[in-house]
Amino acid sequence: MSVETTPNTDLIPVNITIADRSYRVKIAPKDEEAVRKTAAIINQKMVEFKNMYAGKDQQDYISMVLLWFTTQQQESGQNIYEQENLQNQIEALTASVEKALLHT
């Protein structure tokens, strides 16, 4: 979901439920599916944490989901960095091989 300077007329109201609370948000129509899927994942993780850690309150579960989600995002970002690093190494090796072939 990208943040854009979109006129309010292009936004649609959507009701999202997270942790048994309903939130009315205005989003771009193209983001509706992603927002709904994200809310579903949050609620699913809340249930998982409730089953693992009985007796905590909603705020604890929300904090656990937030920590999990943020960790997932960081890992994804790190994987992208590692892929770029590998791509750079492959390009350097390819250039070395091409250079060696030109001199033979």
Side-chain angles (χ1 to χ4, degrees):
M1 187 166 50
S2 63
V3 177
E4 299 175 16
T5 54
T6 308
N8 286 340
T9 57
D10 293 344
L11 302 179
I12 60 170
V14 177
N15 291 322
I16 301 296
T17 302
I18 297 175
D20 300 327
R21 294 183 81 177
S22 183
Y23 300 93
R24 187 169 180 85
V25 294
K26 288 187 176 187
I27 58 174
K30 66 179 179 58
D31 295 331
E32 182 178 5
E33 183 178 1
V35 169
R36 289 190 185 279
K37 284 181 179 180
T38 301
I41 291 169
I42 291 169
N43 288 318
Q44 176 187 354
K45 283 293 175 186
M46 295 256 325
V47 170
E48 288 178 26
F49 286 125
K50 284 179 183 180
N51 290 333
M52 288 192 295
Y53 305 106
K56 302 284 185 177
D57 69 5
Q58 288 288 75
Q59 183 63 45
D60 291 334
Y61 298 124
I62 291 170
S63 297
M64 290 178 196
V65 171
L66 179 60
L67 180 61
W68 169 83
F69 191 78
T70 304
T71 302
Q72 292 297 314
Q73 293 299 314
Q74 287 177 347
E75 287 175 1
S76 295
Q78 185 174 0
N79 287 339
I80 290 169
Y81 173 76
E82 290 171 359
Q83 288 174 357
E84 288 175 357
N85 188 29
L86 287 173
Q87 182 65 33
N88 291 338
Q89 289 177 359
I90 290 169
E91 288 172 3
L93 287 170
T94 302
S96 295
V97 169
E98 288 174 353
K99 184 178 179 180
L101 289 173
L102 287 173
H103 288 81
T104 56

